[in-house]
Amino acid sequence: MAGLPLLPGYSLYDPTALQKPIRQSLGWKKGVPLVQASHVSLLSEEDHDDLIRQERKLQFADKGRRSRTPPKFLPEWAVLEKKVLRFSGYFTEHIDGGPQVYRIRPVVICYYLLDDAIMVIEPKTPNSGLEQGRLLSRQRVPHPDGGFWHWTQLNLGMTLSLYGRKFVVCDCDPFTKEYLVSEGTELNNPLPIPQDPYNLLRRSRAESPSRGSDLRPRSAPLAPPSLRGVVLKFDTLVEGVDCGQPAVSPAVLLYRPEDLTIELRQPSYFDHTEIKKFSPVILRALKVPLSDTRKSGFVDIGEESEVGDWIMPRHLIPPANVNIFGRRVMVVGCDDYTSQFLKDFYGVEHSPPMKNVETRKPDESGSSGKTQSDIVPRPKIRRGLLNAKDAAILRFSAKLDSPDGEENDRNFILTYHLIDDTFEITELPKPGGLGGRILSRSHVPKPPPSENEKGAGKYAVRDIYNLDDFYIGSKLDVWGRHYIITGADRYVLNYVREHENEVSPKLYSSLANFFGQVESIDQEQQKEETACGEVE
C-alpha cells in the first residue's frame, strides 16, 4: 500500500479499522482552559537548539536593540477623547462715548481634537459690569475661506476670526506646545496680552491717596467716628404767609452733624381710616449758611468756598430762631436723643421735649387725624400668644341696600375680628358674577348723627363700628354703601351667650330670635319631608 501512486481510486487508509479517534488538544485544569502539549515534537532537534540560542541572545543582548512589544490598539476617538489644545488671547471692544476708545478683554480658546470644535471662554472679573463667561459654546466654526477651522491652521500671534469677531492668539499651555511641535508645526514667538486701559483707570482711582472712603466734597472735613450716622431731631415752627396773612406751620428739622446738613419735613399724618404716608419734604438735606444769602430777591445757596459759617447744633438749642434761606424757623423742642447729645457736647440741661401739634388735614381726602412730630410712624405693638377671646372671628351674612334693584341679589360675608374691632367684606360668587374681596380688613368709622354734612368729610368722627352694631337687621354705612345684616353663624350665638354681660341686649335678642326662627323653619321642613315619606 505504501508504494502505490496517489491516484483516484486508490485508498490510503485501512478499511479494516473500525475506530478512527482524534486526539484532544484542549483541556481544563483547575477551572483554567489549557492547550495540551503535543506528544510529537513539531520542531527538529536542530531547530530546537537554534531557538534556545536566539532566546539567550535576546535575553543578554543590548537593551537598546531589543524588539519592542507592539502597543495595544486603540481607536482614534479613544486616543483623542480628552486631548484639548488651550490657547490664551484677547479681543478688542470699542467703546462709544467713554473716557477710553477701546477695552481689552482676555479670553481662553479651547480646541477639541476629537471633533475639531472650538470654545471661547472669558474669565470673570469681579465688579466688571460685563456679561463674561462662555462667549462661544463648543462647536465647529466655519473658516472665512471655506470649510471649518482645523488645528493645523492655528499658531501663536495669528488673528482668529470666529463669526466676525477677531481674536488675537497670544500664548498656549505646555501640552499644546508639545503637541503642535511633535506634529511638525513651527510655533511663533508668544505675545503678551495688553493691559486694559479701563481697568488701569479704575485701579488708579481705587489706589489714589487723595480719595476718601465717602463721597463728600474734598473741602469738607471728615467727621469723627462718634458723629457718623447721628441724626438730631428738632420740633420747629416755620413762618410763612397764607392768603396774605402771616401763618405758622409745624415742621421737623433733621440735622446731621456728620456733614452739617439740614433737612425739613412736614409732620406725619396719622389716621386709623387710611394708610400711613411718608412725610413730605420741605427742604432736602443740604448745608445752610448762618447768614442770609438772598440776593436781588431770590435765594442763593452759594458755593462752599464762598460761604464760611454754617448752621451748627449750637445754633439750634431750643428755644432758638434761625434763618433758613430767608425763612424764619423757630426751634421749640427736641427728642430725647437730641437732648442727651446737647447735654454731652454743649452742657445744655433740660431741653424742651417735642410736642404733638393738633391740626386738620385738607378736606380733599375727607378724613382727619393728628399731625405728630415723628417722621416715621411707631410700629404697632404686636401681642404675643392670643387668648381664645382675642383669636375669635365672627361671621355675618349681609345684603346690599341699594336703590338699584339689580344689586339686591348680591350676597356678602362680613368677617369681624374681635382683637382690634376690624372687619372685612367678601362677596359670594354667583352665576355671571366674579365675587371676591370688597373691603380689606380695616376700621370703618360711623357716620355722624347729623345728615347735614355731605361728601367724604362726614367720616371725620373717630367712632368706629364694634360688635354691638352687628345685630340682625342693622344697617352699616361702609364708605357710602349700605349693608344690611341678614344672618350669622351658630358660633356667633354661642360666643354672645358666653359673654352676655359684655355685649348689648339688642345684639343677643336679635341673634336669639334669628336662630329661633331658623330652628322653627327646619322643624317644619322635617315634618313636611316625613309626611311626604308616609304618603309614598
Side-chain angles (χ1 to χ4, degrees):
M1 297 290 292
L4 294 177
L6 186 59
L7 296 175
Y10 289 93
S11 48
L12 302 178
Y13 58 91
D14 187 5
T16 59
L18 299 179
Q19 295 183 357
K20 307 177 181 61
I22 298 176
R23 185 174 297 277
Q24 182 71 22
S25 61
L26 302 177
W28 293 81
K29 184 175 183 180
K30 296 183 179 180
V32 179
L34 298 175
V35 178
Q36 295 181 358
S38 176
H39 297 280
V40 180
S41 177
L42 300 178
L43 299 176
S44 62
E45 185 177 355
E46 183 179 358
D47 294 339
H48 182 70
D49 296 341
D50 184 48
L51 180 60
I52 293 176
R53 286 194 300 270
Q54 292 292 339
E55 290 181 354
R56 291 178 179 176
K57 182 179 179 181
L58 294 174
Q59 182 177 1
F60 297 103
D62 189 6
K63 295 183 179 180
R65 293 181 294 176
R66 291 182 60 183
S67 62
R68 310 177 75 181
T69 305
K72 184 179 180 181
F73 172 75
L74 288 176
E76 183 181 4
W77 62 267
V79 176
L80 303 177
E81 180 183 6
K82 296 183 179 180
K83 291 187 177 181
V84 181
L85 305 182
R86 183 184 177 93
F87 300 90
S88 60
Y90 68 92
F91 72 96
T92 304
E93 182 183 28
H94 291 272
I95 302 176
D96 297 333
Q100 290 79 27
V101 183
Y102 63 93
R103 294 190 63 177
I104 301 298
R105 301 176 63 176
V107 295
V108 176
I109 304 173
C110 299
Y111 184 92
Y112 295 85
L113 296 172
L114 177 61
D115 52 358
D116 299 328
I118 298 177
M119 182 174 65
V120 181
I121 299 175
E122 181 181 7
K124 292 187 177 181
T125 306
N127 196 21
S128 65
L130 302 174
E131 294 183 0
Q132 298 176 328
R134 184 178 300 179
L135 301 182
L136 178 65
S137 59
R138 178 178 175 178
Q139 58 183 291
R140 298 182 67 188
V141 182
H143 195 277
D145 299 335
F148 297 92
W149 280 99
H150 195 260
W151 63 268
T152 56
Q153 302 169 341
L154 302 179
N155 205 333
L156 302 183
M158 66 171 296
T159 301
L160 186 63
S161 178
L162 305 179
Y163 294 114
R165 178 174 286 179
K166 297 182 179 180
F167 299 87
V168 179
V169 183
C170 296
D171 202 353
C172 61
D173 59 355
F175 170 78
T176 305
K177 183 176 182 180
E178 180 183 359
Y179 181 84
L180 294 178
V181 171
S182 63
E183 295 295 334
T185 303
E186 295 183 3
L187 290 177
N188 300 330
N189 296 327
L191 301 177
I193 298 179
Q195 293 186 346
D196 186 7
Y198 179 73
N199 288 336
L200 292 177
L201 178 62
R202 292 184 58 187
R203 195 178 300 114
S204 63
R205 288 178 176 178
E207 297 175 356
S208 176
S210 62
R211 182 176 177 85
S213 59
D214 51 2
L215 301 179
R216 303 172 184 274
R218 296 188 178 179
S219 60
L222 293 177
S226 60
L227 297 181
R228 295 180 184 178
V230 175
V231 179
L232 307 181
K233 188 183 299 183
F234 298 91
D235 197 0
T236 63
L237 296 175
V238 181
E239 186 181 27
V241 178
D242 186 9
C243 298
Q245 300 294 331
V248 175
S249 59
V252 177
L253 189 148
L254 301 179
Y255 189 92
R256 295 177 175 84
E258 180 181 1
D259 49 5
L260 308 180
T261 57
I262 292 178
E263 181 180 1
L264 282 176
R265 283 179 174 268
Q266 292 183 8
S268 301
Y269 290 103
F270 287 84
D271 197 343
H272 60 275
T273 61
E274 64 183 3
I275 302 175
K276 298 174 183 178
K277 301 179 180 179
F278 294 100
S279 303
V281 178
I282 301 176
L283 176 67
R284 62 181 177 87
L286 49 82
K287 298 174 69 173
V288 179
L290 184 60
S291 59
D292 192 358
T293 59
R294 288 181 295 176
K295 298 179 181 179
S296 301
F298 64 91
V299 177
D300 183 14
I301 296 178
E303 298 292 338
E304 294 185 5
S305 59
E306 300 177 1
V307 181
D309 296 333
W310 307 98
I311 294 181
M312 304 294 290
R314 65 175 181 270
H315 303 130
L316 301 175
I317 299 176
N321 292 333
V322 292
N323 189 295
I324 299 180
F325 300 123
R327 187 72 61 87
R328 191 163 66 99
V329 177
M330 296 168 283
V331 183
V332 297
C334 59
D335 61 354
D336 297 339
Y337 180 82
T338 306
S339 178
Q340 185 65 31
F341 179 88
L342 297 177
K343 181 180 179 180
D344 296 339
F345 284 85
Y346 299 100
V348 179
E349 297 285 349
H350 307 294
S351 299
M354 300 184 73
K355 300 180 181 179
N356 296 335
V357 182
E358 296 288 344
T359 183
R360 285 276 183 176
K361 289 183 62 177
D363 293 337
E364 298 176 358
S365 61
S367 59
S368 66
K370 289 184 177 180
T371 302
Q372 295 188 357
S373 297
D374 293 334
I375 292 299
V376 180
R378 293 185 178 88
K380 183 178 179 180
I381 299 176
R382 304 183 67 89
R383 303 190 182 185
L385 297 177
L386 301 179
N387 52 35
K389 177 182 176 181
D390 292 339
I393 297 177
L394 308 181
R395 301 199 329 154
F396 300 86
S397 60
K399 285 191 174 184
L400 189 63
D401 184 14
S402 174
D404 189 1
E406 297 181 356
E407 295 186 352
N408 293 335
D409 58 342
R410 299 172 61 183
N411 297 321
F412 303 87
I413 297 296
L414 275 67
T415 306
Y416 184 84
H417 300 266
L418 291 168
I419 185 173
D420 53 1
D421 294 332
T422 58
F423 68 92
E424 52 186 319
I425 302 177
T426 306
E427 182 178 1
L428 298 178
K430 65 177 182 178
L434 298 178
R437 180 177 295 179
I438 302 297
L439 176 67
S440 300
R441 180 179 174 180
S442 59
H443 293 100
V444 178
K446 296 181 182 179
S450 62
E451 298 180 358
N452 298 330
E453 300 183 12
K454 296 181 180 180
K458 64 181 180 179
Y459 298 104
V461 294
R462 298 190 59 184
D463 192 12
I464 61 175
Y465 284 107
N466 53 25
L467 181 59
D468 295 337
D469 301 316
F470 283 78
Y471 57 88
I472 305 300
S474 65
K475 183 183 294 186
L476 305 180
D477 185 357
V478 181
W479 307 115
R481 301 181 71 86
H482 300 275
Y483 295 87
I484 301 177
I485 304 297
T486 59
D489 290 340
R490 177 76 64 173
Y491 177 78
V492 180
L493 179 61
N494 297 336
Y495 177 83
V496 172
R497 285 177 177 173
E498 293 178 1
H499 306 83
E500 184 176 357
N501 299 331
E502 302 177 6
V503 299
S504 62
K506 188 175 183 179
L507 174 62
Y508 179 74
S509 60
S510 64
L511 291 173
N513 295 335
F514 171 74
F515 284 100
Q517 295 176 2
V518 172
E519 292 177 357
S520 62
I521 294 174
D522 294 341
Q523 292 177 1
E524 292 179 359
Q525 290 180 355
Q526 291 178 1
K527 290 180 181 180
E528 292 178 359
E529 293 177 357
T530 305
C532 293
E534 293 177 356
V535 171
E536 293 178 358

